[in-house]
Amino acid sequence: MSATCDVVVLLSGTGSNLQALIDSTRTGDSPVRVAAVISNRADAYGLQRARDAGIDTRTLDHKAFEGREAFDAALIELIDTFKPKLVVLAGFMRILSADFVRHYAGRLLNIHPSLLPKYKGLHTHQRALEAADAEHGCSVHFVTEELDGGPLVVQAVIPVELHDSPQSLAQRVHVQEHLIYPMAVRWFAEGRLSLGEQGALLDGQLLAPSGHLIRT
């Protein structure tokens, strides 16, 4: 088991994936420690979740900055005061600058509610239904300069059911998000997961382009 891995979580909303991560660290043998939670929105409920768990919180309002680069530079400075080994995006509704992504290359993870490379961006559940997909799910990936395009770590695949709505599909995908995101973070904390030149590596082996697949 490796030493404790300090993680900083960035979010803009309710923080359900943050809560799943916090819950996963309470097993007693977890190498993950959420050192801080940072939001660009002071009203994000995820900040309250963090405070309830005794985790340091910070707010950095993007509207107080002249542009994306200025905000990201201040965000880097703030994150680095906590000296994290890993930065986790958990519903952080900001497109990150190239400088930010490069600064955290190989230690920046995101979760996206689709089976990437399908449905980058928003409204993924609606788009999966409109395409009459038989399967849908979520993906954890390393963040690169390509939006929702970094090397895949793990994907959870669920069947699309006959009477699914975007809401019912989202609900079932959320359940899977809350399983695979803490798992991927733990792999990283244990030194099992890394980003190599060819893609994501798990236990020294190059993962398939689709990442580690979990079917339900």
Side-chain angles (χ1 to χ4, degrees):
M1 181 70 67
S2 57
T4 300
C5 176
D6 280 351
V7 175
V8 167
V9 177
L10 306 183
L11 53 77
S12 302
T14 60
S16 67
N17 273 304
L18 166 68
Q19 190 64 57
L21 185 58
I22 291 169
D23 293 346
S24 76
T25 66
R26 292 174 170 155
T27 59
D29 66 341
S30 174
V32 177
R33 185 178 83 96
V34 181
V37 174
I38 300 171
S39 180
N40 62 316
R41 297 176 56 98
D43 62 349
Y45 182 63
L47 291 171
Q48 187 60 49
R49 292 183 190 269
R51 287 190 286 265
D52 290 346
I55 296 166
D56 230 332
T57 63
R58 297 286 189 277
T59 301
L60 194 66
D61 185 355
H62 61 276
K63 294 191 291 293
F65 294 86
E66 279 302 309
R68 185 182 302 161
E69 284 72 18
F71 172 75
D72 282 7
L75 184 57
I76 287 171
E77 198 174 324
L78 179 57
I79 292 169
D80 286 354
T81 63
F82 297 99
K83 298 181 171 61
K85 293 181 182 174
L86 179 67
V87 177
V88 168
L89 305 178
F92 188 58
M93 302 308 288
R94 298 281 304 163
I95 294 176
L96 298 165
S97 65
D99 284 348
F100 184 97
V101 172
R102 280 196 292 266
H103 184 78
Y104 296 108
R107 54 196 186 107
L108 184 60
L109 288 177
N110 183 44
I111 192 157
H112 184 73
S114 79
L115 296 176
L116 291 172
K118 279 189 170 184
Y119 314 129
K120 298 177 182 184
L122 302 174
H123 311 300
T124 59
H125 311 302
Q126 180 69 43
R127 289 155 70 192
L129 290 173
E130 286 171 356
D133 288 350
E135 294 182 325
H136 187 47
C138 49
S139 310
V140 177
H141 64 96
F142 280 105
V143 178
T144 62
E145 292 176 44
E146 182 189 350
L147 179 66
D148 296 330
L152 290 163
V153 174
V154 55
Q155 294 190 314
V157 183
I158 63 168
V160 177
E161 295 174 357
L162 188 59
H163 300 297
D164 262 327
S165 65
Q167 292 73 28
S168 66
L169 202 49
Q171 200 167 21
R172 298 210 319 284
V173 168
H174 275 146
V175 171
Q176 299 306 313
E177 288 182 24
H178 299 162
L179 294 173
I180 68 171
Y181 213 3
M183 184 171 71
V185 170
R186 180 165 183 146
W187 286 346
F188 186 94
E190 291 174 342
R192 297 178 59 198
L193 175 66
S194 62
L195 181 61
E197 287 184 12
Q198 304 299 317
L201 301 167
L202 185 61
D203 297 328
Q205 299 295 310
L206 186 65
L207 285 164
S210 58
H212 180 79
L213 280 182
I214 296 173
R215 292 185 177 275
T216 59

